[in-house]
């Protein structure tokens, strides 16, 4: 069984890439649409949202608290829904997922830093549950990907020995590539879709 793992943002979704110049901002019109200043919104990514990503805080409760602290009169669910509905621009690399999902001998997974809510949106609203065998993400595993324990938990659950049968893994963040590579994963740094579609092993699978 060949297991292939994909990061989401900057890999399958053309959004928050590790390289600033490659980022496609989903919140470009948040001030026009919701009256929330983008500079204010960026505050959350250096604060409580990191705890949400690790499953330690409730996303909706923390968003509601933050909105009130900044004087915004919005329901937290509306802001979260706005975020999720706009942060969905698929990379051309997603064609690889649709082509390989359901293939005999291949299992696809995510390995990503996400909240519970975003994963549910991707699975159910966007239909990603039809393509992936399982979704591994930071809020589920309790840590971010540059923590080696993240990958250790996946290995334990799937009974993977990466030194014998290394999973193929695509990510745009060099920190995650380094950590997973040290564990024996076949980790590929993604700058753009061609790093996935042009990967020799992926090309071989697609040609089969």
């Amino acid at each position: 069984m060949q297991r292939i793992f994909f990061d989401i943002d900057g890999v399958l979704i053309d959004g928050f890439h590790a390289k600033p110049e490659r980022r496609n901002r989903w919140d470009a019109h948040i001030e026009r649409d919701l009256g929330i200043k983008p500079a204010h919104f960026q505050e959350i990514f250096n604060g409580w949202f990191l705890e949400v990503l690790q499953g330690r805080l409730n996303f909706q409760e923390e968003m509601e608290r933050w909105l009130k602290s900044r004087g915004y009169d919005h329901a937290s669910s509306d802001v979260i829904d706005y975020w999720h509905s706009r942060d969905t621009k698929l990379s051309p690399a997603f064609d690889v997922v649709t082509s390989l999902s359901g293939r005999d001998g291949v299992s696809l997974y995510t390995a990503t830093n996400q909240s519970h809510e975003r994963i549910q949106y991707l699975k159910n609203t966007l239909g990603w549950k039809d393509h992936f065998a399982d979704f591994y993400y930071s809020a589920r595993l309790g840590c971010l990907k540059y923590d080696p324990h993240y990958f250790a938990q996946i290995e334990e659950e799937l009974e993977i020995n990466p030194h014998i049968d290394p999973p193929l893994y695509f990510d745009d963040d060099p920190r995650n590539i380094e950590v997973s590579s040290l564990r024996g994963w076949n980790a590929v740094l993604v700058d753009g879709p061609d790093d996935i579609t042009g990967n020799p092993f992926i090309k071989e699978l697609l040609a089969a």
Side-chain angles (χ1 to χ4, degrees):
M1 173 64 71
Q2 177 61 54
R3 294 184 171 97
I4 307 174
F5 291 78
F6 297 90
D7 180 33
I8 292 179
D9 295 305
V11 175
L12 295 182
I13 286 182
D14 183 11
F16 189 87
H17 195 282
K19 289 185 175 180
E21 67 272 18
R22 295 272 290 108
R23 291 173 188 170
N24 180 30
R25 293 279 295 272
W26 65 266
D27 62 346
H29 303 296
I30 195 171
E31 186 168 11
R32 179 196 69 189
D33 296 340
L34 298 182
I36 297 175
K37 293 184 181 298
H40 289 174
F41 200 79
Q42 289 300 306
E43 296 171 354
I44 75 173
F45 298 107
N46 294 317
W48 56 264
F49 189 65
L50 292 174
E51 298 299 301
V52 169
L53 284 178
Q54 296 173 82
R56 298 171 184 166
L57 292 175
N58 181 281
F59 192 8
Q60 191 161 317
E61 290 176 358
E62 294 305 313
M63 180 65 78
E64 183 175 355
R65 186 175 295 115
W66 178 81
L67 288 166
K68 288 181 178 178
S69 74
R70 270 298 189 175
Y72 293 120
D73 186 22
H74 295 289
S76 59
S77 58
D78 291 343
V79 176
I80 293 170
D81 288 346
Y82 177 90
W83 178 349
H84 291 166
S85 66
R86 281 156 180 77
D87 198 9
T88 56
K89 183 183 178 184
L90 294 182
S91 164
F94 199 83
D95 290 343
V96 170
V97 172
T98 57
S99 296
L100 293 181
S101 64
R103 291 275 190 100
D104 290 340
V106 178
S107 287
L108 307 182
Y109 304 88
T110 68
T112 180
N113 290 331
Q114 301 291 340
S115 66
H116 294 300
E117 291 81 0
R118 181 130 187 264
I119 289 294
Q120 290 304 309
Y121 183 88
L122 296 172
K123 285 173 64 175
N124 299 318
T125 303
L126 294 192
W128 285 26
K129 65 180 184 298
D130 297 330
H131 300 299
F132 293 94
D134 206 348
F135 294 78
Y136 291 98
Y137 60 101
S138 54
R140 170 183 172 180
L141 299 176
C143 56
L144 300 175
K145 281 189 289 184
Y146 48 75
D147 184 336
H149 190 53
Y150 182 105
F151 295 97
Q153 290 182 81
I154 298 175
E155 293 164 17
E156 181 178 359
E157 184 168 321
L158 293 178
E159 298 182 346
I160 294 172
N161 184 335
H163 297 289
I164 296 174
D165 188 18
L168 181 59
Y169 168 48
F170 296 100
D171 199 296
D172 63 310
D173 192 327
R175 296 176 301 174
N176 305 328
I177 296 295
E178 180 179 6
V179 170
S180 56
S181 294
L182 288 172
R183 299 192 62 84
W185 290 48
N186 180 11
V188 178
L189 183 64
V190 175
D191 184 61
D194 290 349
D195 294 311
I196 299 175
T197 58
N199 178 268
F201 187 77
I202 294 295
K203 290 175 71 174
E204 182 179 341
L205 285 176
L206 292 174

